[in-house]
Amino acid sequence: MKFKVALAFCAVALGLVLFLFSPYFALREIVITGNGTVSRAEIEDSLDVVLGDNILIINTSAARRRVMENLYIDSVSFERVLPGRLNVTVRERRLVAYIEHTPGSFLFIDETGRVLEVRTFFTEPLPMVTGLQFSSFQLGERLDVPNRAAFGIVTQYAQALQQYGLSTLVTHIDVTDVHNTRILFNQVEFNVGDARDAEEKVRTMAEILNSLPDVASYRGFVDLREIASQYFLTILT
């Protein structure tokens, strides 16, 4: 009797194994969402899985490590949808500014000041940061800047400019003097002072720029060091 029970158990176990490793669980589709800067092809290459693999034995931990080697990827998650679909959801870091490291060499930084890439050319219109002093950097790490106030000003205004859709219009953020930070849109210069009320100051900047018929045709200066005081715009065209 015990032999028959054991035999039946082995048969069931064998059947289960054959079922789990049958073509029914072959990977048929990979759905990738959340990417923008990083292409689908790059992510697929990092996954190192191919259609036809058994979805149940795909090593998502190893796949996650490979995908996260791309510095533009902040996080990645996986979902197995049986019988054969793998959902891959990524969250990217946002490129917000460039910093000239050496003549013709630029650091690409995200909203936290993390260095994502070094190139000799720009990939999209974003502000150039000037006035930050640093001696070295490491890819994937935040810049080690002695003047933390200047660094904080850059990150706060970069985030606010992104929020109000102005990042692609800014040409320079100059933090040489942290009490007189200058943000330039072509030839229109805003003196925003320091990091106080950064979001409100950027919102005001957006209102002023939206009121101009063509910002590229204007030259002028706006004093926003004290948001409560009256600012002024001098038109020099």
Side-chain angles (χ1 to χ4, degrees):
M1 183 65 178
K2 292 183 178 179
F3 175 75
K4 290 182 178 180
V5 171
L7 185 62
F9 177 80
C10 290
V12 171
L14 179 60
L16 180 61
V17 169
L18 292 175
F19 174 69
L20 292 178
F21 287 90
S22 71
Y24 179 76
F25 291 105
L27 180 62
R28 299 176 180 84
E29 183 182 15
I30 301 174
V31 178
I32 299 174
T33 57
N35 62 308
T37 301
V38 184
S39 70
R40 175 186 173 87
E42 289 178 278
I43 296 173
E44 285 184 335
D45 287 345
S46 298
L47 292 174
D48 195 27
V49 298
V50 296
L51 299 182
D53 286 351
N54 189 299
I55 193 173
L56 298 175
I57 62 173
I58 290 175
N59 188 338
T60 55
S61 295
R64 178 178 290 104
R65 287 194 297 270
R66 290 190 295 268
V67 172
M68 294 288 291
E69 289 175 0
N70 189 311
L71 296 179
Y72 280 91
I73 302 295
D74 185 44
S75 66
V76 58
S77 60
F78 300 91
E79 179 190 19
R80 292 179 174 90
V81 181
L82 301 180
R85 187 175 83 223
L86 180 66
N87 291 337
V88 183
T89 303
V90 301
R91 184 176 66 191
E92 293 184 340
R93 296 186 173 98
R94 293 187 302 173
L95 174 64
V96 296
Y98 307 110
I99 300 175
E100 188 169 23
H101 174 48
T102 57
S105 176
F106 306 97
L107 308 184
F108 291 31
I109 64 170
D110 72 357
E111 58 200 10
T112 68
R114 187 188 305 269
V115 181
L116 302 181
E117 194 174 355
V118 182
R119 286 195 179 183
T120 57
F121 59 90
F122 305 148
T123 56
E124 55 186 286
L126 286 172
M128 176 70 67
V129 176
T130 56
L132 277 182
Q133 303 298 321
F134 59 95
S135 58
S136 63
F137 69 92
Q138 184 175 343
L139 280 174
E141 300 295 332
R142 297 182 68 184
L143 277 176
D144 185 13
V145 179
N147 190 338
R148 303 307 297 177
F151 190 75
I153 288 171
V154 170
T155 56
Q156 286 193 51
Y157 278 102
Q159 292 180 46
L161 290 165
Q162 282 270 354
Q163 179 182 344
Y164 286 91
L166 298 180
S167 290
T168 59
L169 302 177
V170 178
T171 52
H172 286 81
I173 300 176
D174 186 351
V175 290
T176 302
D177 180 353
V178 295
H179 302 293
N180 289 281
T181 300
R182 300 183 306 126
I183 299 179
L184 284 76
F185 296 80
N186 292 315
Q187 298 184 85
V188 177
E189 176 184 324
F190 293 82
N191 186 336
V192 295
D194 52 27
R196 291 174 299 165
D197 304 311
E199 183 178 341
E200 187 176 356
K201 289 174 182 177
V202 172
R203 178 180 57 78
T204 302
M205 290 162 57
E207 293 173 353
I208 294 173
L209 293 171
N210 289 335
S211 70
L212 301 178
D214 179 14
V215 66
S217 66
Y218 284 78
R219 289 188 297 145
F221 173 82
V222 182
D223 189 346
L224 285 179
R225 286 173 292 181
E226 296 295 335
I227 192 65
S229 65
Q230 184 167 357
Y231 51 84
F232 58 90
L233 174 65
T234 305
I235 305 301
L236 302 176
T237 56

